[in-house]
């Protein structure tokens, strides 16, 4: 018996058996799970957008104030070597 014939025989045997019963509350459980997944995805998207906005605000602040530069001196340095 070839592998294709064996697989076909197994499929026919599986289809000949009585099909399992579907739980009566399957649709309600699937709907509840889908609703939970949608809520979690929506929260994740909102959190991602908030983080992106905060990063953008930090970059704009850093570009405007340039905190990596030293503070300007209020007095001129002494002139030496004249």
């Amino acid at each position: 018996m070839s592998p294709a014939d064996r697989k076909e025989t197994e499929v026919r045997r599986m289809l000949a058996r009585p099909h399992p019963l579907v739980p009566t509350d399957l649709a309600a459980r699937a709907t509840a799970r889908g609703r939970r997944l949608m809520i979690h995805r929506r929260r994740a998207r909102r959190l991602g957008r908030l983080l992106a906005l905060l990063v953008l605000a930090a970059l704009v602040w850093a570009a405007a104030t340039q905190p990596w530069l030293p503070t300007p001196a209020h007095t001129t340095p002494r002139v030496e070597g004249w």
Side-chain angles (χ1 to χ4, degrees):
M1 180 183 275
S2 71
D5 291 338
R6 185 174 45 88
K7 287 182 181 179
E8 184 178 344
T9 306
E10 287 178 18
V11 169
R12 287 185 187 276
R13 194 174 334 136
M14 286 172 40
L15 291 175
R17 285 190 241 153
H19 300 294
L21 295 176
V22 176
T24 56
D25 65 336
L26 181 64
R29 287 189 292 161
T31 304
R33 184 169 188 267
R35 187 174 294 122
R36 283 193 308 270
L37 284 174
M38 283 178 43
I39 289 170
H40 289 302
R41 286 179 185 162
R42 187 180 308 137
R43 286 180 182 165
R45 278 193 307 267
R46 286 181 182 170
L47 181 62
R49 289 176 186 154
L50 177 65
L51 288 175
L53 183 65
L54 290 175
V55 167
L56 181 64
L59 288 174
V60 168
W61 170 81
T65 60
Q66 297 178 351
W68 55 86
L69 294 178
T71 56
H74 295 291
T75 60
T76 57
R78 288 187 291 151
V79 180
E80 296 180 7
W82 282 83

